[in-house]
Amino acid sequence: MAKKWNRRTVLKGMLGASAITVGLPILDCFLDANGTAFASGAPIPTRFGTWFWGCGINAARWFPEKVGSDFDIKDELRPIAPYKNKIDVFSGFNCILGGKPNLNHWSGIMATMTGACPLKGGMGSGTAEAPTLDCLVSDAIGSGSRFRSLEIACTGQAGVSYSMRAGSTVNASEVDPVSLYRRIYGSGFQDPNAAEFKPDPAIMLRQSVLSSVKDERARLMNSVGAVDRARVDQYFTSIREMEQQLGLMLQKPAPAQACVLPKEPAQVEEGPVWDVALKSHDVLGQLIVMALACNQTRVFNIALSTAASNLRKPGSAVSFHELTHEEPIDETLGYQPESTFFMEKSMSAFASMLSMLDAVKEGDGTLLDHSLVLATSESNYAKLHSIDSLPIMVAGTAGGRWKSGLHINGKGEPSSRVGLTIQQALGMPVGNWGIDAMATSKPITEVLRT
């Protein structure tokens, strides 16, 4: 009789049984005399993250006029002005449908994140035609850390995530700071400064059990259909990640006097009210920054809101998304003032994340300097669901491999060029990326340092 598989039950049991540990931040004593690499010669690790906000921008108030360096800062982009020299702004990079439908609030983000326009769309029901960029990057740079990636959503909805292997299954987001804290800094924490280190026998046994389950992969893959095969492949990807985590937990951490268990955050209110979402963003974001600094992960994804943004002001029942379609344009201002509130505040939240990353000193720079953070939205002008000239920014320099402080105009070329360039800057051997009309072999050479 064929064995019955219950993917959720297996994952729940394994995740529930997993011990947790914490690694080390990068200390000066680990570095060479110049502060640009470890004493062993290994470079300071590069991190990658995505930061998403829904319902786009007012193009005339967001995109700079001047191309190249020393670009002008428009009103909606004003909050990122302190980081102008550490950020690139991209205009004129489009979601090119190539005959596929414009799936409102879905095509734009999937085109940028997967290099492919999807065939089915909508938050919670949309599909990805290929793995999202963060998954590809985590495969390349994430295997040396406990978590291939960490995802957070700021409106209290775990299903709000733009990280997908393919199909309709997302890498679910953490929404509760306490849960995220305990996941990273839980009861299995090993003090790196302890005189003795004894691997937990239960961890060794668990690693053996996981390996034996992994051995059944070929038989299972041959017994299911194409849809289940994709799900099983994602399941075994999780198994591989857990095996790597357990392997790291069997190694004694190096001493680090500065690695102190952070204080557990207080419980926070959850929901799409702007003030609540912003507080969640800052508390969750700080935990992500600590996880990066302690090398618990090298890849992260932050969703400020849903694509059809459900953010709203305190006391209001009308969401940002509804406002973009129903609010009249102020004839004097030339834009929708209530909608624009959320556009401007979204940029303030992104600036807050940049501030947290830039505050962590690392070698001769900061955590932001050793990162690349892709920030984007699914629309240009949400009122019309426009997907030309998607708003895109990349912050950081990937440890000196990326030129910042530029405004680049793509002149109508696919937004997948940004993703291809990111992969090349991170050292991934990728010569082309994307599918159909979004396919490209042209990196944005202006931002690449050779």
Side-chain angles (χ1 to χ4, degrees), residues 16 39-40 44 62 70 99 108-109 114 160 162 165 206 208 230 254 259 279 282 318 342 354 360 372 376 400:
S40 64
I44 295 173
W62 198 89
D70 195 27
I109 184 60
T114 69
V160 177
Y162 303 93
R165 280 283 167 186
R206 197 172 303 131
S208 175
C259 190
K279 184 173 182 179
D282 288 351
V318 182
F342 293 102
L354 296 181
V360 177
L372 283 183
T376 189

Side-chain angles (χ1 to χ4, degrees), residues 61 134 143 159 205 378 445:
R61 304 181 77 247
D134 62 290
S143 61
L205 177 60
E378 89 295 346
T445 55

Side-chain angles (χ1 to χ4, degrees), residues 106-414:
W106 192 249
S107 292
I109 184 60
M110 286 295 105
T112 301
M113 287 292 291
T114 69
C117 293
L119 295 172
K120 182 179 178 182
M123 195 68 226
S125 62
T127 60
E129 302 302 305
T132 50
L133 182 60
D134 62 290
C135 291
L136 300 176
V137 172
S138 68
D139 287 344
I141 70 173
S143 61
S145 55
R146 284 181 56 222
F147 303 103
R148 283 294 186 97
S149 65
L150 290 172
E151 287 72 42
I152 63 172
C154 306
T155 53
Q157 302 154 278
V160 177
S161 171
Y162 303 93
S163 174
M164 307 171 71
R165 280 283 167 186
S168 59
T169 304
V170 302
N171 293 320
S173 294
E174 293 278 2
V175 298
D176 173 29
V178 175
S179 295
L180 179 60
Y181 173 88
R182 292 176 181 174
R183 182 180 172 191
I184 300 171
Y185 296 98
S187 59
F189 171 72
Q190 294 285 350
D191 184 354
N193 300 313
E196 296 182 0
F197 171 75
K198 294 182 179 180
D200 186 344
I203 294 176
M204 292 185 279
L205 177 60
R206 197 172 303 131
Q207 187 179 39
S208 175
V209 170
L210 290 177
S211 296
S212 68
V213 173
K214 181 182 176 183
D215 293 340
E216 297 182 325
R217 175 179 180 178
R219 179 171 64 83
L220 178 60
M221 292 292 274
N222 289 332
S223 66
V224 297
V227 174
D228 280 344
R229 193 175 298 119
R231 292 177 180 146
V232 169
D233 184 66
Q234 185 163 1
Y235 165 73
F236 277 104
T237 296
S238 299
I239 294 292
R240 288 192 295 273
E241 291 174 1
M242 290 198 68
E243 288 179 327
Q244 290 165 353
Q245 291 176 22
L246 293 173
L248 290 173
M249 293 163 66
L250 296 174
Q251 302 173 27
K252 185 182 186 302
Q257 294 297 326
C259 190
V260 178
L261 183 65
K263 182 179 179 181
E264 182 173 305
Q267 198 78 42
V268 299
E269 184 181 355
E270 297 174 8
V273 174
W274 172 252
D275 294 347
V276 171
L278 180 61
K279 184 173 182 179
S280 291
H281 171 273
D282 288 351
V283 176
L284 288 164
Q286 189 60 58
L287 290 174
I288 290 290
V289 169
M290 288 192 293
L292 295 167
C294 290
N295 201 30
Q296 296 302 285
T297 190
R298 293 183 183 177
V299 179
F300 67 93
N301 297 284
I302 298 175
L304 177 67
S305 66
T306 58
S309 180
N310 59 346
L311 290 171
R312 56 185 173 83
K313 287 184 176 180
S316 173
V318 182
S319 71
F320 178 18
H321 175 231
E322 292 174 286
L323 286 169
T324 64
H325 292 299
E326 298 174 4
E327 182 188 7
I329 296 173
D330 185 290
E331 294 183 2
T332 301
L333 297 174
Y335 56 84
Q336 301 165 298
E338 292 297 315
S339 300
T340 299
F341 166 87
F342 293 102
M343 298 173 189
E344 293 177 341
K345 290 296 185 180
S346 294
M347 293 302 95
S348 294
F350 182 51
S352 176
M353 189 65 203
L354 296 181
S355 174
M356 288 186 270
L357 290 165
D358 207 39
V360 177
K361 302 304 178 184
E362 201 171 67
D364 63 343
T366 69
L367 182 55
L368 178 59
D369 296 327
H370 294 116
S371 303
L372 283 183
V373 182
L374 169 65
T376 189
S377 189
E378 89 295 346
S379 301
N380 177 319
Y381 189 38
K383 184 178 181 67
L384 302 179
H385 296 130
S386 59
I387 51 177
D388 289 342
S389 197
L390 292 165
I392 300 173
M393 295 175 284
V394 175
T397 66
R401 288 171 286 174
W402 184 280
K403 297 178 184 177
S404 57
L406 301 174
H407 168 215
I408 307 293
N409 190 323
K411 301 179 180 179
E413 300 225 346

